[in-house]
Each structure stands twice: as structure tokens, then as C-alpha cells.
Amino acid sequence: GENVEQHPSTLSVQEGDSAVIKCTYSDSASNYFPWYKQELGKRPQLIIDIRSNVGEKKDQRIAVTLNKTAKHFSLHITETQPEDSAVYFCAASRTGGGADGLTFGKGTHLIIQP
Amino acid sequence: KAGVTQTPRYLIKTRGQQVTLSCSPISGHRSVSWYQQTPGQGLQFLFEYFSETQRNKGNFPGRFSGRQFSNSRSEMNVSTLELGDSALYLCASSFGSLKGDEQYFGPGTRLTVT
């Protein structure tokens, strides 16, 4: 089955700096890669996703890049703000999660230092 | 429109008992997936239902089961509870397209087994 590795497990950055979280996956048939943000005690929230026919996607301060050949994808957050502090999860699936489930990375605890 | 809802939000059970958790998807969504979240194992896929049929399941023992009703609401059942079943159980809903669509999570049910 699919295996998703996520690094780093903890990331501390100064407010205003950029943060990058990286994930690798094992199943070459995976073609849907979402990122979720989970604040303490709350549900995971989808912040951005990318499909295999696209190499990069951007939404304001958040961007995701995908390298299908190398089987890795990354989340980039620019101009970090205190409200960006949370645990971020990457995930992968073949069909978009609706049918075959999402395989998640172990999460990255992002800490924004004031 | 209303988000994904789960009941109950908190449960305390004793080893050997069974438990039933409920999930109501976003209106119009026909797919419901269930996930277990623990500090050690992270987010793990349990199973997914679409139009009252289980389409896929993760690597969990048969004590974990589920069903879906004609209104897309879903329940999951855990029989013969073990201490290790203590976790946050999350459900997520989507349209269920095989082409891939976003999954939206409920707030979860926190199950504690004593």
C-alpha cells in the first residue's frame, strides 16, 4: 500500500519568514495530494490540494509543488503569521480520497515565533 | 451550508464493551470515510462508504465495522473495545467521485477506553 513520509516533524520559524514542509510517497499510482491544517483540539481543515496533472498550485501565501518523477511534494507558506501555528498533514491517494482513502504523513508541528 | 457533524463528541467506555459513532455528511455528499487519529500512529484510514456500500477499507481488525444509510449518514461500530482503541475518530465527507474530490472532516469523537 501507499506510504507517505513527512519532514520535518517540528518546524520553528520567525514570523514573516517562509516555511517549507516536504513529503514523499511510494505509490506511483497516487495522483491526488491534499494538505490539511489541524489546530489544537480542532478538526483537520483542507488548505490546498494538487493533482498529478499540475506541477504547482498557489493560493495567496500558500503554495504546493509536486514532482511526480521523484515522488515528492512540498508545502510552502510565505510571510508566516502567528495564526499559521498548527500541525500540518500531507496526504496522498489514487482517486482523490473519496474512494480509496487518504494515506497521511505523520504531521509537522509548525511554530511561528513572534 | 452546514458542515460535517459527529455524535457524540466524547465517550468513555470500558474494555470489552462496544460503541457506535455517528457521522452526518455535508448535504449532497454521498461518500463518508472514517479515520482513526492517535498520537503514535497519526491519521489512519478505516473505511469508506458510498451509496450504502463499502468501497474500501484500511488495515484494521474486523472489530471495526461501519454502515451507511440511504440519507448518506454513516455509523461506525467498534466491538470488544481494547485500551488501544482510545483515539479521536474522524469522519470525512465528499461527493465521492472517482476522479477525486476534496474531503471535509467532522469535529471527531474522542473515545476513551478504560
Side-chain angles (χ1 to χ4, degrees):
Chain A
E2 174 69 278
N3 183 50
V4 176
E5 300 281 343
Q6 182 172 347
H7 299 281
S9 57
T10 303
L11 178 60
S12 180
V13 301
Q14 290 293 124
E15 183 178 347
D17 287 351
S18 296
V20 180
I21 302 170
K22 299 182 179 182
C23 290
T24 60
Y25 61 98
S26 61
D27 186 354
S28 56
S30 287
N31 58 21
Y32 175 68
F33 308 92
W35 287 87
Y36 286 85
K37 173 184 179 182
Q38 188 175 31
E39 296 174 78
L40 190 62
K42 296 193 175 180
R43 72 188 77 189
Q45 287 194 301
L46 179 69
I47 56 171
I48 196 167
D49 58 9
I50 191 167
R51 289 173 171 79
S52 60
N53 57 346
V54 175
E56 183 173 0
K57 184 176 179 182
K58 200 171 181 181
D59 183 4
Q60 299 183 342
R61 297 186 296 109
I62 293 173
V64 58
T65 59
L66 171 65
N67 183 327
K68 281 221 77 177
T69 303
K71 289 192 276 189
H72 68 70
F73 56 113
S74 301
L75 177 72
H76 305 251
I77 305 175
T78 59
E79 300 172 12
T80 53
Q81 300 169 3
E83 54 264 36
D84 294 330
S85 293
V87 179
Y88 291 80
F89 294 94
C90 63
S93 101
R94 291 184 174 192
T95 62
D100 66 354
L102 293 169
T103 300
F104 284 89
K106 293 291 190 190
T108 296
H109 186 193
L110 177 62
I111 302 165
I112 308 300
Q113 303 279 6
Chain B
K1 53 186 174 183
V4 181
T5 59
Q6 291 186 245
T7 57
R9 294 293 311 278
Y10 303 91
L11 264 180
I12 300 175
K13 290 285 187 180
T14 304
R15 268 183 306 173
Q17 288 185 316
Q18 73 165 12
V19 66
T20 299
L21 313 180
S22 180
C23 173
S24 292
I26 291 170
S27 178
H29 284 186
R30 295 168 64 190
S31 168
V32 174
S33 300
W34 288 89
Y35 294 85
Q36 181 194 65
Q37 186 174 26
T38 61
Q41 298 300 315
L43 278 154
Q44 293 186 288
F45 172 68
L46 282 154
F47 32 66
E48 186 259 1
Y49 285 86
F50 179 82
S51 291
E52 302 179 66
T53 300
Q54 185 183 90
R55 288 197 294 192
N56 211 334
K57 67 189 300 277
N59 190 25
F60 278 81
R63 301 185 297 107
F64 292 82
S65 63
R67 60 177 175 168
Q68 187 179 37
F69 302 95
S70 58
N71 62 357
S72 295
R73 188 177 70 85
S74 177
E75 289 181 347
M76 70 163 279
N77 184 276
V78 188
S79 63
T80 319
L81 284 166
E82 300 177 0
L83 294 178
D85 296 333
S86 293
L88 180 66
Y89 290 89
L90 293 157
C91 73
S93 78
S94 73
F95 288 111
S97 163
L98 290 177
K99 292 183 182 179
D101 46 48
E102 298 87 356
Q103 288 193 50
Y104 296 93
F105 281 87
T109 295
R110 172 74 62 186
L111 173 64
T112 302
V113 182
T114 62

